[in-house]
Amino acid sequence: MNRYIFMRTLKKAFLVGARTVGRYFTRSSFLPSPVPILSIECTNFCNSKCVYCANSNMQTPRQHLDMEKYKKAIDEFVAMGGVDINFNSCIGEPLLDPTLVEKIKYLRKYPQLKFEGFFTTLQWLHKFNLGEFFEMGNAAITISTSLSGKEKYCEFFGEDLYEQALKNILTLIEENKKRANPLKILFMIVPTNEPIDAVVKHPDFYLVDSLTDKAATRGLKAFVDDWFGKVNLPSYMRKRPIYFRAFAPCAIMLKRLVVFSNGKIGICPSRDYEQKLVLGDISRDSLKDAWNSEPLNKLRNDWRKKNIIPDICLHCGRYEVAQRK
């Protein structure tokens, strides 16, 4: 394992351990936020067939989030005092949503909103007017990619789109620089079956890394998730550790809500791709009622007081440690 990744992993393990001990003695660690962070699943369409993703296993029908449902969610979020919002989804490529720009523009109606951005392969950036794309302001665009050449990219993403994705990455970096870098460009460099030293020495990786102040290096991934056993990971991939969670509700349950592309209101934007933890439907229910609902409070309290953990949370690699307040 590359020394940088080893030290980063060791530091994270230490911090998780320290937080795990501290939070048990701090009652406020498990109190929900007055207002959640809102994730919007603009779409659950995705053309990629990543080897560590449950995309091919998903049974939920594919669709884009209807604009009227989206606007209702945003209006209600603002009314309840919401600030932080993102377009991150369990499964889905935001750039495949034909109304993505329109959705971003609607956020400008409310100056108090802070748009956090979204994850993307950036394979389809060339289909957008970049002037409109940059209207999202000071958001973070996290690019999931491989920078080890066409063959490795195809092996991982199941799509022969390496040159297109790389060109879009370089275009985004260049256009962002022209505009004084309003976007925060981050990377999630997916693991391949080659040594890390070989990855970082590839000309494309070196080029992107040099243009982004080592953002590609910081984005190197050591571990991946198997979606609670739903995905058979290749042998060269390291499964993310399953952290201790007894009597300690996941922080996501305490601070986030998600509106899925079908309008369902859910708890987890990270791994609940089959929508097991649903609180309502934005068409008829309000975000405020969902956030303060008895079913959600029961889930939190059952986990904290009785160690009754939802099935999809038991072995989830995306478990987040609650922070002391």
Side-chain angles (χ1 to χ4, degrees):
M1 183 185 296
N2 176 273
R3 176 178 171 80
Y4 172 80
I5 293 182
F6 173 77
M7 294 304 296
R8 188 178 66 184
T9 304
L10 187 64
K11 179 180 179 181
K12 181 176 181 180
F14 174 79
L15 291 175
V16 168
R19 290 171 186 162
T20 300
V21 173
R23 63 189 172 160
Y24 276 100
F25 301 98
T26 308
R27 183 176 179 274
S28 62
S29 294
F30 302 99
L31 295 178
S33 301
V35 180
I37 298 168
L38 181 63
S39 294
I40 297 289
E41 185 182 73
C42 294
T43 182
N44 61 354
F45 280 97
C46 185
N47 60 289
S48 295
K49 308 170 190 66
C50 304
V51 296
Y52 73 163
C53 182
N55 184 22
S56 59
N57 298 326
M58 186 170 69
Q59 300 300 310
T60 304
R62 312 280 178 159
Q63 63 187 102
H64 307 302
L65 178 61
D66 174 78
M67 273 303 297
E68 293 308 310
K69 293 180 180 179
Y70 169 78
K71 290 179 179 180
K72 181 176 183 289
I74 300 303
D75 295 345
E76 289 184 1
F77 183 58
V78 170
M80 65 187 291
V83 174
D84 298 308
I85 185 170
N86 61 67
F87 287 176
N88 293 331
S89 58
C90 291
I91 292 175
E93 168 55 68
L95 299 189
L96 290 178
D97 177 9
T99 62
L100 177 64
V101 171
E102 186 180 355
K103 287 184 170 85
I104 292 173
K105 286 182 177 181
Y106 191 76
L107 297 179
R108 297 175 61 191
K109 178 180 177 182
Y110 300 108
Q112 68 268 41
L113 290 178
K114 294 181 181 178
F115 183 48
E116 298 176 341
F118 51 81
F119 286 79
T120 174
T121 62
L122 217 69
Q123 293 169 353
W124 309 107
L125 179 68
H126 57 285
K127 293 183 175 292
F128 287 80
N129 177 312
L130 286 181
E132 293 182 327
F133 191 81
F134 275 90
E135 288 187 15
M136 69 180 71
N138 299 317
I141 302 299
T142 303
I143 305 168
S144 175
T145 193
S146 165
L147 294 170
S148 301
K150 178 178 179 177
E151 180 181 347
K152 297 300 180 185
Y153 191 93
C154 291
E155 286 177 4
F156 187 92
F157 289 95
E159 292 282 357
D160 186 10
L161 294 172
Y162 181 70
E163 288 89 352
Q164 182 170 296
L166 179 59
K167 182 178 179 180
N168 287 342
I169 289 170
L170 295 175
T171 297
L172 183 65
I173 293 170
E174 180 182 0
E175 293 298 322
N176 197 43
K177 185 176 181 180
K178 288 179 182 178
R179 294 168 169 81
N181 298 307
L183 297 181
K184 185 175 183 180
I185 300 176
L186 306 174
F187 288 90
M188 185 171 67
I189 306 297
V190 299
T192 58
N193 60 345
E194 57 187 334
I196 289 296
D197 289 344
V199 173
V200 299
K201 289 178 181 178
H202 192 281
D204 293 340
F205 183 97
Y206 181 82
L207 173 61
V208 171
D209 210 33
S210 64
L211 292 173
T212 57
D213 191 27
K214 301 291 183 181
T217 295
R218 291 191 295 274
L220 287 166
K221 288 179 64 67
F223 300 100
V224 297
D225 185 30
D226 69 350
W227 297 72
F228 25 86
K230 298 294 185 181
V231 176
N232 293 319
L233 297 175
S235 58
Y236 63 86
M237 289 188 173
R238 297 184 178 91
K239 180 182 174 182
R240 183 179 286 112
I242 302 298
Y243 296 117
F244 184 73
R245 61 200 62 189
F247 298 97
C250 177
I252 291 175
M253 192 175 286
L254 304 170
K255 65 180 181 180
R256 294 184 185 275
L257 273 184
V258 56
V259 175
F260 292 109
S261 58
N262 59 5
K264 300 292 185 183
I265 303 171
I267 299 170
C268 179
S270 293
R271 284 297 177 264
D272 191 12
Y273 67 101
E274 295 292 16
Q275 302 175 15
K276 301 296 185 182
L277 301 176
V278 169
L279 302 170
D281 191 305
I282 195 64
S283 297
R284 59 177 183 271
D285 304 307
S286 75
L287 290 179
K288 184 175 182 179
D289 288 345
W291 184 242
N292 297 304
S293 66
E294 179 55 32
L296 179 51
N297 285 327
K298 188 176 188 304
L299 283 171
R300 296 167 179 152
N301 290 330
D302 282 354
W303 190 336
R304 176 60 172 158
K305 297 177 181 179
K306 303 176 183 178
N307 199 36
I308 300 175
I309 304 175
D311 288 343
I312 69 168
C313 304
L314 276 170
H315 304 291
C316 178
R318 299 298 300 179
Y319 172 78
E320 290 187 18
V321 178
Q323 303 292 316
R324 283 183 289 180
K325 299 176 182 179

